[in-house]
């Protein structure tokens, strides 16, 4: 293993001390707990870009998380980092997403602005620390600190109720950076695939993209889309590994090692072009936006209904009212819903 890899023995500290497992490392145990969580199963019915119920072949947050985890495991292994930790982080990285993805997040944040706000990353930590209360002891899944810190990517709204030991926590391990880049590789490639499948994107436009041209260079003109997507993934993954490997070797400090994990300048430019294209033509397309706006208005009205009538919350959520207050309890409840469940409640 690289000297910058997280080691299960040293980074495996848990809030509630547990005895060693006879067969699994600390990070393998984290991974297993994440897979067995309710929040993980719900990812199955949470939208990535195209609503999961619109077709059987579109990515859901669960299939996205599985793709990220498979990539992160492979990249971490190639770089001699801890691949079990990378896998655990990847499987958990989207647990905190509310229904309807980023627009759902915006809606909840606006509703919660005077009560600590809402952000999916911080909410992911809240799920594994508290909402997945498997043993009734208030420690949630009792994951290792390394995994928990890794979920806190991005800005945390002022006043968001994190576990006290996560406030002002040190920077995440390098494995979290690997997951971050693999997350991007995964969605760039599969959103392109889903956008084509949904007939929101035009193949003719995509063929203009430099990265697509690169991916098709050695393929026959008749190559199916799936084959090009697979080539695209290979290009991005190999670029990440071959750019990172030598500079990670020569890095002296952890800070240098963190900066070493990156794409080449050339691929960065091509990937940015692809992301801009997806933003304009897919994420902000009329079809996707219309669906998302509908979801956003369901979230707003359900939130208000539950705040007005706390008695209509399920008993497990009512039990949290005293400690968390009405707004946070309702926010936790709505954020945990799948897109499907939210629609059912809104229609019913
Ligand atoms: Mg993701």
């Amino acid at each position: 293993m690289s000297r910058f890899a997280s080691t299960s023995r040293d980074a495996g500290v848990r809030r509630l001390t547990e005895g060693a497992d006879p067969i699994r490392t600390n990070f393998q145990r984290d991974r297993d707990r994440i897979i067995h969580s309710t929040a993980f199963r719900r990812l199955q019915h949470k939208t990535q870009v195209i609503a999961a119920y619109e077709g059987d072949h579109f990515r859901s947050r669960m299939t996205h998380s599985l793709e990220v985890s498979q990539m992160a495991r492979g990249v971490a292994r190639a770089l001699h980092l801890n691949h079990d930790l990378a896998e655990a982080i990847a499987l958990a990285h989207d647990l905190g997403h509310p229904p309807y993805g980023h627009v759902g997040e915006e809606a909840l944040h606006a509703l919660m602005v005077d009560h600590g706000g809402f952000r999916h990353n911080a909410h992911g930590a809240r799920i594994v620390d508290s909402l997945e209360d498997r043993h009734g002891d208030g420690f949630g899944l009792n994951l290792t600190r390394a995994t928990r810190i890794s979920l806190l990517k991005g800005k945390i709204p002022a006043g968001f109720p994190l576990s006290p030991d996560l406030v002002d926590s040190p920077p995440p391990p390098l494995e979290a950076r690997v997951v971050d880049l693999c997350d991007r590789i995964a969605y760039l490639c599969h959103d392109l695939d889903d956008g084509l499948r949904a007939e929101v994107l035009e193949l003719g436009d995509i063929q203009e993209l430099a990265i697509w041209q690169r991916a098709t260079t050695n393929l026959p003109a008749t190559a199916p889309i799936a084959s090009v997507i697979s080539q695209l993934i290979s290009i991005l993954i190999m670029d990440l590994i071959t750019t990172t490997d030598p500079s990670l070797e020569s890095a002296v400090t952890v800070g240098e090692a963190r900066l070493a994990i990156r794409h080449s300048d050339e691929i960065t430019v091509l990937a940015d072009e692809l992301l801009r294209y997806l933003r304009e033509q897919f994420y902000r397309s009329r079809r996707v936006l219309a669906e998302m706006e509908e979801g956003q208005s369901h979230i707003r009205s359900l939130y208000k209904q539950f705040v007005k009538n706390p008695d209509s919350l399920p008993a497990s959520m009512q039990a949290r009212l005293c400690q968390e207050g009405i707004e946070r309890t309702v926010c936790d409840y709505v954020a945990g819903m799948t897109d499907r469940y939210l629609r059912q409640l809104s229609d019913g």
Side-chain angles (χ1 to χ4, degrees):
M1 287 241 274
S2 154
R3 60 191 179 285
F4 297 113
S6 301
T7 55
S8 192
R9 205 170 302 157
D10 302 328
V13 188
R14 299 180 195 278
R15 285 191 295 168
L16 195 62
T17 309
E18 295 176 16
D21 186 274
I23 47 171
R24 297 170 302 170
T25 67
N26 275 317
F27 297 140
Q28 289 171 344
R29 274 173 114 176
D30 278 4
R31 173 204 59 201
D32 295 353
R33 288 175 192 190
I34 292 159
I35 288 186
H36 288 278
S37 69
T38 312
F40 185 74
R41 287 194 296 281
R42 285 182 185 156
L43 293 178
Q44 196 172 179
H45 299 292
K46 290 203 179 197
T47 291
Q48 187 66 27
V49 181
I50 294 280
Y53 54 78
E54 283 199 45
D56 291 344
H57 300 131
F58 295 118
R59 269 71 173 187
S60 65
R61 292 232 172 250
M62 180 180 284
T63 60
H64 162 72
S65 300
L66 294 173
E67 289 184 30
V68 177
S69 121
Q70 176 244 12
M71 290 175 187
R73 213 183 143 80
V75 173
R77 191 195 289 269
L79 297 175
H80 307 287
L81 295 174
N82 194 311
H83 49 82
D84 289 329
L85 175 59
E87 183 181 19
I89 298 169
L91 291 171
H93 88 282
D94 269 355
L95 287 182
H97 264 293
Y100 293 94
H102 292 284
V103 294
E105 178 174 53
E106 281 165 26
L108 280 176
H109 183 63
L111 292 161
M112 291 296 289
V113 77
D114 295 328
H115 310 284
F118 180 84
R119 181 156 171 110
H120 79 271
N121 308 82
H123 189 66
R126 190 169 163 74
I127 288 176
V128 300
D129 276 1
S130 152
L131 288 158
E132 283 282 336
D133 192 17
R134 295 180 70 76
H135 304 289
D137 55 12
F139 288 96
L141 300 179
N142 198 32
L143 301 182
T144 63
R145 192 166 155 76
T147 303
R148 295 167 59 231
I149 289 174
S150 301
L151 302 183
L152 293 178
K153 194 188 116 189
K155 238 169 100 188
I156 298 163
F160 185 91
L162 280 181
S163 301
D165 72 318
L166 288 184
V167 178
D168 298 325
S169 49
L174 298 191
E175 287 80 1
R177 168 91 180 131
V178 168
V179 171
D180 212 11
L181 290 168
C182 289
D183 180 25
R184 191 160 184 265
I185 294 176
Y187 70 69
L188 284 176
C189 296
H190 66 48
D191 289 348
L192 203 52
D193 191 31
D194 279 359
L196 277 168
R197 192 184 302 277
E199 296 175 347
V200 176
L201 299 179
E202 301 268 356
L203 187 57
D205 293 342
I206 293 176
Q207 284 165 338
E208 305 275 309
L209 296 168
I211 200 159
W212 185 270
Q213 289 164 9
R214 170 84 67 98
T216 50
T217 307
N218 295 319
L219 292 176
T222 53
I225 301 289
S227 163
V228 185
I229 299 289
S230 149
Q231 192 60 32
L232 209 53
I233 295 174
S234 300
I235 290 172
L236 291 165
I237 295 280
M238 283 315 293
D239 176 74
L240 174 58
I241 294 171
T242 54
T243 309
T244 302
D245 198 30
S247 35
L248 191 60
E249 286 270 296
S250 58
V252 178
T253 64
V254 188
E256 282 172 25
R258 191 179 315 279
L259 292 176
I261 304 176
R262 60 181 194 87
H263 282 289
S264 64
D265 293 343
E266 188 198 358
I267 288 292
T268 301
V269 171
L270 301 190
D272 286 350
E273 185 197 22
L274 170 56
L275 180 60
R276 266 197 310 278
Y277 168 76
L278 286 170
R279 273 205 192 120
E280 284 159 19
Q281 303 298 323
F282 192 28
Y283 308 147
R284 291 177 197 154
S285 66
R286 206 174 301 158
R287 169 157 165 203
V288 169
L289 286 184
E291 182 76 25
M292 294 287 156
E293 272 157 27
E294 196 192 319
Q296 215 169 20
S297 79
H298 288 329
I299 288 179
R300 280 193 214 104
S301 60
L302 274 184
Y303 174 93
K304 287 174 188 159
Q305 269 178 47
F306 283 117
V307 168
K308 233 198 234 161
N309 297 302
D311 291 347
S312 58
L313 286 166
S316 59
M317 296 313 286
Q318 287 193 35
R320 298 178 62 91
L321 280 170
C322 196
Q323 204 189 327
E324 308 291 347
I326 180 70
E327 290 85 6
R328 181 58 56 184
T329 304
V330 171
C331 175
D332 286 341
Y333 182 49
V334 174
M337 290 179 186
T338 62
D339 302 28
R340 193 170 72 155
Y341 187 64
L342 180 87
R343 282 170 67 93
Q344 272 170 15
L345 281 191
S346 306
D347 295 343

